[in-house]
């Protein structure tokens, strides 16, 4: 499937789970030189190896530079214990990298198509903010974001409502499942898809997922003493981030293994244990961006390993944790290492710790959200008051804000009446 089609047809159904037929190997000279490369250069080389045939180098370079305009530091609280901080982007969630890269790619396609593209996305919180921010003010693209009324945090709602005039935030009278149901319905609606160029921005979209492979290379390059192999623990929900790590390994990154760390939404750790994948409705936890009972990228992981459970087990261990353990993890990180983690990062830390009891490795856990996004939990665990450094408001302009019933006809009319 050509890249444009894969990126555009990224609906939540079967056809959206695009995977490249061949994943390129980065080659030995790349790994010899990677230590001297900047984040942007590393990213460009990796992304070009996969997208270079479809998008001109100078365009790709610009998209990468715009997407990665913030730091991704590797911090080392302990010997052989490292944290890759992915939360220094404009919305303080790791979703910024993928969303910004996708926005750049779609912007490029919109100008080639000479047609306006409508991005439709349902959010329970973080995704919407990152997507709204990334697409803010982008020419040729309108973004429609559905979120459940009264169920996103104040900060998250602010990020949706102050993103710019090409963003429409629909506050739905319903829950997240209603939002998702309407979005699915829209993608399945023939008439709507004939009239509009409709695409999605969820993590099923390959152009949102793949740039995340970059972090793993970049983090690996910064570990100086490689007497022990490097292992990664990934706090996982929909499993896009972990899939990106597995792709990095396929591209030649010498990683000894990955840890799939989850909260009690544990269908993947249970699959690794029993060989049975049993999706379930999601349970609410304090690491709420990982409250996913049926991870959309699970089939991509199966595909990468040809459905071979034994090979999957060689590369991925799975551990899951309750909210109580998560709070203890936050406390321990602070007391032992003076490191302040948010609940998602704490889950990753706990998974890494379990792995390092079994396997000798230089451990890196991924911190996916700024602790200042979860001030109450941080206060409970550490007694500290943490705040966000300040909110970025996209273009600083108001979004379109509509309150709507959970009704498909209503949504359709909104989509037609251009804004
Ligand atoms: C989305 C998210 C995750 C889960 O990432 P997946 O790629 O869906 O597994 C973890 N932590 C935070 C803070 C997130 O926003």
């Amino acid at each position: 499937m050509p890249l444009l089609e894969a990126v555009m047809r990224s609906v939540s159904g079967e056809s959206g789970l695009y995977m490249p037929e061949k994943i390129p190997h980065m080659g030995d000279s790349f790994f010899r030189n990677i230590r001297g490369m900047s984040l942007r250069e590393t990213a460009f080389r990796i992304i070009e190896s996969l997208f270079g045939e479809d998008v001109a180098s100078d365009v790709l370079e610009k998209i990468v530079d715009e997407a990665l305009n913030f730091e991704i530091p590797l911090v080392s609280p302990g010997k052989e214990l490292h944290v890759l901080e992915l939360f220094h982007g404009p919305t303080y969630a790791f979703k910024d990298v993928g969303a910004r890269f996708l926005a750049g790619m779609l912007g490029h396609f919109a100008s080639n198509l000479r047609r306006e593209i409508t991005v439709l996305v349902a959010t329970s919180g973080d995704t919407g903010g990152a997507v709204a921010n990334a697409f803010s003010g982008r020419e040729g693209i309108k973004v429609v974001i559905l979120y459940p009324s009264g169920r996103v945090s104040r900060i998250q709602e602010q990020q949706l409502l102050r993103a710019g005039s090409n963003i429409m935030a629909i506050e739905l009278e319903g829950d997240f499942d209603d939002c998702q149901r309407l979005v699915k319905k829209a993608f399945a609606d023939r008439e709507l898809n004939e009239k509009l160029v409709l695409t999605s921005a969820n993590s099923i979209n390959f152009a949102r997922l793949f740039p995340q492979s970059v972090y793993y290379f970049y983090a690996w390059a910064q570990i100086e003493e490689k007497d022990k192999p490097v292992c990664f623990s990934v706090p996982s929900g929909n499993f896009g981030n972990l899939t990106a790590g597995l792709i990095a390994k396929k591209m030649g990154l010498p990683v000894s293994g990955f840890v799939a760390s989850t909260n009690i939404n544990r269908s993947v750790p249970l699959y690794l244990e029993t060989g049975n994948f049993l999706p379930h409705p999601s349970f609410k936890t304090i690491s709420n961006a990982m409250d996913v009972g049926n991870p959309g990228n699970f089939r991509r992981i199966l595909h990468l390993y040809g459905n071979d459970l034994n090979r999957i087990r060689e590369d991925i261990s799975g551990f899951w944790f309750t909210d109580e353990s998560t709070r203890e993890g936050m406390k321990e990180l602070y007391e032992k290492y003076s490191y302040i983690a948010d609940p998602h990062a704490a889950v990753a830390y706990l998974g890494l710790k379990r792995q390092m009891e079994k396997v000798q490795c230089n451990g890196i856990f991924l911190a996916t959200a700024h602790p200042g996004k979860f001030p109450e939990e941080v206060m409970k665990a550490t007694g500290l008051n943490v705040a966000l450094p300040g909110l970025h408001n996209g273009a600083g302009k108001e979004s379109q804000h509509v309150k709507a019933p959970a009704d498909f006809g209503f949504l359709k009319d909104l989509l037609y009446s251009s804004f």
Side-chain angles (χ1 to χ4, degrees), residues 93-95 126 203 212 235-241 289-290 344 368-369:
F94 90 97
K95 292 184 170 66
D126 275 350
S203 74
Q212 300 174 8
S236 296
N238 218 19
F239 281 77
N241 209 357
M290 311 199 298
H344 302 80
T368 46

Side-chain angles (χ1 to χ4, degrees), residues 334 338-340 374-387:
Y334 182 61
S338 307
Y339 188 78
I340 305 169
F374 300 87
E376 288 101 18
E377 290 300 335
V378 172
M379 173 58 89
K380 267 191 223 162
T382 67
L384 295 179
N385 226 329
V386 285

